[in-house]
Amino acid sequence: MTYVVTESCIKCKYTDCVDVCPVDCFHEGPNFLVIDPEECIDCTLCVAECPVEAIFAEDDVPEGQQHFTALNAELTKLWPVIIERKDALPDADDWAKKTEKLDQLER
């Protein structure tokens, strides 16, 4: 089983999770992070670090967001690995509690 970054991360991109990942499985896009399912070792460390609760075990992804499992796998092939914490996006706090943000995802 792997972990999956879901919709809550879009337009926020807090990188607290990157700091604790022991295998560097996060990849960074313009306004979203994803987890490489081939690299994730299921350590769960990232889950507690996410301030917007965007990371779930593959089997626990909320209903209606299961497509993020495939999206994470797809985008890891396109985006570079991120290994250091960075500042969140400037308006991350404004977007943190918003839902239905998939249309805001920048590839």
Side-chain angles (χ1 to χ4, degrees), residues 2-107:
T2 187
Y3 280 76
V4 178
V5 181
T6 60
E7 186 172 46
S8 296
C9 183
I10 297 172
K11 297 280 282 184
C12 294
K13 201 169 78 167
Y14 294 101
T15 58
D16 306 58
C17 52
V18 172
D19 262 353
V20 298
C21 182
V23 293
D24 302 331
C25 68
F26 283 90
H27 290 246
E28 178 185 25
N31 68 351
F32 186 55
L33 298 175
V34 293
I35 293 174
D36 184 339
E38 300 296 321
E39 294 295 323
C40 180
I41 60 170
D42 310 327
C43 70
T44 76
L45 293 173
C46 59
V47 176
E49 295 301 314
C50 182
V52 293
E53 300 176 354
I55 304 172
F56 294 88
E58 185 176 20
D59 292 343
D60 297 331
V61 172
E63 188 165 330
Q65 293 196 43
Q66 289 87 4
H67 58 280
F68 278 92
T69 301
L71 188 61
N72 274 237
E74 172 193 338
L75 295 176
T76 59
K77 293 173 176 46
L78 303 174
W79 291 347
V81 172
I82 176 174
I83 57 172
E84 293 181 342
R85 184 178 182 178
K86 297 180 179 180
D87 291 337
L89 295 174
D91 56 351
D93 291 339
D94 297 335
W95 284 94
K97 298 296 181 195
K98 294 186 182 198
T99 59
E100 299 183 28
K101 301 187 287 185
L102 186 57
D103 64 331
Q104 298 294 315
L105 177 64
E106 296 175 33
R107 292 176 179 251

